[in-house]
Amino acid sequence: MNKQTINKILFWVVIIAIFFYMLFPFYWAINSSLKTEAQLQMTPATFVPRDPQNGNLAPTLRNYMAVLENERFMKGLLNSVLVAVTTTVLALSVGAFAAFALGKLRFRGKSASLYLILAMTMFPQVAVLTGLYAVINALGISAIPGMILSYMLFTLPFTAWVLTSFFKGLPMEIMQSAQVDGATPFQTFYMILLPLTMPALVTTGLLAFISAWNEYLFALTFTSIQPQYRTVPVAIALFTGQIARQEPFGEIMAAAVLVTIPLIILVLIFQQKIVAGLTAGAVKG
Amino acid sequence: MSKQKGLSDLAKIEERLAYWLLLPTLIILLIIAFYPLGSVFYNSFTNKAFASAEPVEFVGFKNYSQLLSFTIRELPPQVDAGGQPVLDDTGKVLYTRPLDVLPREPLRYRELSQFSLLGRRYVVGATDRDFLRGVWDTLIFTVIAVTLETIIGLGIALVVNVKFTGRGVMRAVMLVPWAIPTAVSSRMWEWMFRSTRVGFFNVVFQNLGLIQDPIPFLTSQNWQLPAMIAIDVWKTTPFMALLLLAGLQLIPGDIYEAADVDGASKLRQFFSLTLPLLRPTLAVALVFRTLDSLRVFDLFQIVLAQSRYSMASFTYYQLTNNRAMGYSSASSVIIFILIFIFAVLYIKILGGADSE
């Protein structure tokens, strides 16, 4: 074997190792989700669901049935969709306004505003936990609008920052020619810039959606006295079975798999866009 | 003249529009960031408790001193009636109990840890040992996890930067750990770390002959942090790798061709071309990950709950379990200041490097 072949083999070994490292926990979750309580307690744990008596392959869908019938979990899915979608739409619309001003208009205090937005993208949520809790109580709003409002803390600066860089990249001539044609700045924004930035909006929106969907600290705190408004991450973290005495890990794994699948599909479809958005937010920033 | 005036009018209109466009963002940030931050600062100097009828009193720095006070005392060896040190069954010197040495007034100090130095035994006591241990654990967690993530992430980025069939699939696979909620991945790993042979790691370690008895990864003091780091590395290395990959792709390919012509080895090329050119990206990725890791919450709260705290989970439990709003606010402020210091340090270091 020559050196090149060996290098090639080594390269593929590394690739396969990375592949397994990234995906193995999911495999283990799927494996466990297909086991009954008795199969889960088998020692040593088996790499596929096996019958405790004869060792035959014996997967079961019981856990999935249980999860789909679990009202709290299903309600959590609904809450999560509601919160994440509203947060995304709100962050995008408010953020796009700010980004247009920051990216394309001249005004005093611009660089200060830019610094502020950038600093806010790194703001530690836990630092305002008690204060935000008090604000939401004072406003007298329930947990759902409370979560939507507080998720602006990390989605709004992020969308504003990324969209600003997209707006900046758009050629000034488009705006100038629109102005020459008699368009007001707002018309320029609405009719020319917005359609042009649609791809950027999709990318940023996706990232905002994922971060809102995954948020845990605020969701856990604000729903502590209103369990009916729990989102999926909280529901999974606090998952209790319908009947099981101990933590029902089979059901938890089934729930984890069910939540992960749509995200994987989303990631597969929008892979390029997500990477572009991540890098626009960080590398170019 | 009139043209001048027209232009400045336009500029004014533009400026006014800009302020109007920024207004919603500013109002929202005022309600959810600046006002709460101010109230957290204010509350941290009070004894405010959530949903309590007790009047709120201003207590000055009491919360802070209770969170942060620690002391180091020597533990004298126990002596018997004849003045000889008492030995235990294995022949080791017995020391006075920390309880007898640590101060109790005005606040009670509890043992945080013990260490030996120059043949003497010392005890570290703290008025809130959970908090100080949480700060320490979070710092250790951050340093080790971010270092590992950077090294592994860079390795993965370099490998995936090579053109090969299936590269797109690989990039998608790398997004998966990043995309799923930390709550979900924490529970998946919690299950893999089970303390009996029901858990994946115990089965594998035992099959490899590395261990005799199952390791209680999540309950053993020594294994808790390594387990947390392993989970975090898995979850966030892909993010690091993707950022670094994007940085690598900004480097023009022809400089490597030139280096090849000059006969520079691959290793040499990595250290004198790739690494310096990747530095800005690496720096940004490091800042993001460090600041993120210092506020780690989901992982600690879900997997370890109250058996071991991160700074953020300590704050959370003070608020929800103890309803101690003032006390919890003070710990929020300390986290905020710590993260702020890290951010400023980074910006100083990176800013200084950029201007060179």
Side-chain angles (χ1 to χ4, degrees):
Chain A
M1 271 201 292
N2 60 13
K3 206 179 155 202
Q4 226 173 350
T5 328
I6 296 174
N7 274 345
K8 206 156 190 182
I9 292 172
L10 271 179
F11 176 78
W12 279 100
V13 168
V14 174
I15 291 282
I16 291 167
I18 299 172
F19 190 82
F20 268 94
Y21 177 53
M22 304 275 171
L23 293 187
F24 187 80
F26 294 103
Y27 172 73
W28 196 254
I30 294 171
N31 171 28
S32 307
S33 71
L34 297 173
K35 291 178 175 179
T36 61
E37 190 67 21
Q39 286 170 313
L40 285 171
Q41 297 307 329
M42 277 163 73
T43 55
T46 54
F47 280 69
V48 284
R50 290 195 184 282
D51 191 295
Q53 260 78 50
N54 52 28
N56 289 339
L57 204 63
T60 168
L61 287 175
R62 270 191 6 199
N63 293 317
Y64 288 92
M65 298 301 173
V67 168
L68 292 176
E69 279 165 18
N70 186 319
E71 250 172 71
R72 280 198 184 153
F73 179 74
M74 297 313 280
K75 189 82 203 300
L77 274 176
L78 210 67
N79 291 336
S80 270
V81 170
L82 186 61
V83 170
V85 169
T86 319
T87 303
T88 308
V89 172
L90 206 61
L92 275 184
S93 37
V94 178
F97 285 128
F100 176 67
L102 292 167
K104 276 280 168 270
L105 299 179
R106 280 155 299 180
F107 61 95
R108 274 164 292 169
K110 184 164 157 178
S111 57
S113 321
L114 270 171
Y115 274 118
L116 185 71
I117 300 268
L118 180 62
M120 291 298 300
T121 60
M122 299 184 220
F123 196 82
Q125 277 127 269
V126 67
V128 289
L129 184 67
T130 51
L132 208 48
Y133 196 33
V135 166
I136 284 167
N137 275 308
L139 290 175
I141 50 180
S142 86
I144 297 262
M147 281 186 275
I148 293 168
L149 184 64
S150 40
Y151 288 5
M152 291 293 122
L153 185 60
F154 50 92
T155 52
L156 185 53
F158 171 76
T159 50
W161 179 254
V162 177
L163 290 177
T164 300
S165 72
F166 275 106
F167 277 127
K168 257 189 202 151
L170 290 177
M172 212 55 190
E173 290 79 40
I174 299 179
M175 278 184 67
Q176 278 160 353
S177 60
Q179 268 171 348
V180 169
D181 289 347
T184 65
F186 188 76
Q187 280 175 324
T188 321
F189 168 71
Y190 191 74
M191 298 174 73
I192 295 173
L193 284 178
L194 210 55
L196 280 175
T197 43
M198 213 49 204
L201 287 178
V202 173
T203 306
T204 331
L206 261 173
L207 291 174
F209 179 86
I210 290 177
S211 62
W213 180 272
N214 293 356
E215 204 282 334
Y216 181 66
L217 173 63
F218 288 160
L220 181 68
T221 312
F222 301 154
T223 60
S224 58
I225 44 170
Q226 294 173 308
Q228 71 272 30
Y229 295 132
R230 280 177 189 160
T231 56
V232 163
V234 183
I236 286 188
L238 304 176
F239 202 96
T240 46
Q242 313 283 53
I243 30 168
R245 309 159 303 278
Q246 53 199 35
E247 278 189 296
F249 265 99
E251 286 175 40
I252 294 172
M253 291 303 123
V257 171
L258 285 177
V259 176
T260 307
I261 288 170
L263 278 171
I264 291 183
I265 294 171
L266 210 65
V267 161
L268 287 179
I269 297 174
F270 293 104
Q271 192 221 114
Q272 304 261 325
K273 283 195 175 304
I274 293 177
V275 174
L278 277 176
T279 37
V283 177
K284 287 176 202 153
Chain B
M1 180 69 198
S2 69
K3 201 179 171 192
Q4 274 286 322
K5 192 167 175 289
L7 262 180
S8 74
D9 270 355
L10 261 183
K12 250 184 204 151
I13 292 173
E14 191 172 322
E15 194 167 69
R16 205 171 305 148
L17 175 70
Y19 293 141
W20 276 111
L21 290 174
L22 281 171
L23 194 65
T25 301
L26 286 179
I27 292 176
I28 291 178
L29 291 183
L30 198 70
I31 299 173
I32 60 171
F34 304 123
Y35 173 75
L37 189 64
S39 79
V40 165
F41 265 94
Y42 177 81
N43 283 335
S44 72
F45 295 104
T46 68
N47 63 356
K48 188 167 179 179
F50 192 72
S52 140
E54 296 271 309
V56 178
E57 274 172 45
F58 189 75
V59 295
F61 282 94
K62 184 169 164 269
N63 290 328
Y64 290 95
S65 72
Q66 195 178 338
L67 281 167
L68 295 173
S69 295
F70 68 96
T71 177
I72 299 172
R73 297 286 163 107
E74 191 189 338
L75 284 178
Q78 287 184 26
V79 234
D80 59 19
Q84 290 299 312
V86 183
L87 303 180
D88 69 0
D89 301 337
T90 55
K92 282 194 193 134
V93 181
L94 274 182
Y95 293 98
T96 321
R97 286 182 310 155
L99 204 65
D100 302 330
V101 183
L102 291 171
R104 295 175 193 202
E105 295 294 330
L107 288 167
R108 182 157 174 193
Y109 286 75
R110 287 166 201 277
E111 179 189 349
L112 187 61
S113 68
Q114 289 187 23
F115 63 93
S116 293
L117 188 73
L118 303 171
R120 287 166 192 267
R121 189 84 180 156
Y122 296 91
V123 60
V124 183
T127 44
D128 192 328
R129 60 177 172 185
D130 285 338
F131 181 70
L132 284 185
R133 190 176 286 158
V135 172
W136 177 250
D137 284 345
T138 309
L139 290 177
I140 299 281
F141 169 83
T142 299
V143 170
I144 299 179
V146 173
T147 308
L148 287 176
E149 284 154 22
T150 313
I151 295 169
I152 303 174
L154 185 57
I156 293 178
L158 286 171
V159 171
V160 180
N161 194 30
V162 179
K163 284 194 179 69
F164 62 94
T165 28
R167 192 172 161 197
V169 177
M170 200 64 202
R171 283 220 299 204
V173 165
M174 283 161 68
L175 278 172
V176 172
W178 165 82
I180 64 161
T182 315
V184 171
S185 62
S186 301
R187 299 232 74 174
M188 279 167 28
W189 280 79
E190 182 189 357
W191 174 240
M192 293 189 0
F193 273 126
R194 273 274 122 150
S195 57
T196 59
R197 293 203 301 153
V198 162
F200 166 76
F201 284 102
N202 273 317
V203 171
V204 169
F205 284 8
Q206 210 153 33
N207 287 353
L208 292 175
L210 292 175
I211 50 167
Q212 286 298 314
D213 301 312
I215 301 173
F217 289 103
L218 302 178
T219 44
S220 137
Q221 283 285 322
N222 296 330
W223 282 99
Q224 280 173 332
L225 271 192
M228 293 297 104
I229 291 168
I231 304 176
D232 194 64
V233 166
W234 176 80
K235 176 91 170 78
T236 51
T237 298
F239 170 79
M240 200 72 152
L242 284 169
L243 287 190
L244 296 177
L245 185 59
L248 282 176
Q249 284 168 348
L250 291 178
I251 301 175
D254 34 347
I255 61 164
Y256 291 102
E257 283 164 31
D260 276 334
V261 172
D262 289 347
S265 71
K266 289 284 175 213
L267 203 67
R268 177 83 199 280
Q269 288 182 19
F270 173 74
F271 280 106
S272 28
L273 285 180
T274 313
L275 218 48
L277 285 171
L278 199 58
R279 204 176 131 154
T281 316
L282 205 56
V284 173
L286 267 176
V287 174
F288 267 75
R289 278 302 310 138
T290 308
L291 301 187
D292 219 29
S293 172
L294 282 172
R295 57 192 190 210
V296 59
F297 173 75
D298 313 19
L299 187 55
F300 276 76
Q301 196 272 337
I302 292 169
V303 181
L304 299 181
Q306 300 205 64
S307 76
R308 197 145 175 177
Y309 300 100
S310 73
M311 298 192 294
S313 72
F314 176 87
T315 306
Y316 165 80
Y317 281 115
Q318 286 302 324
L319 176 69
T320 52
N321 284 14
N322 296 355
R323 301 185 168 275
M325 221 161 176
Y327 199 60
S328 169
S329 295
S331 87
S332 279
V333 171
I334 294 171
I335 299 172
F336 184 78
I337 291 172
L338 254 172
I339 290 182
F340 188 77
I341 291 172
F342 265 87
V344 169
L345 267 178
Y346 265 125
I347 289 166
K348 272 257 152 85
I349 295 168
L350 302 178
D354 279 350
S355 59
E356 266 169 27

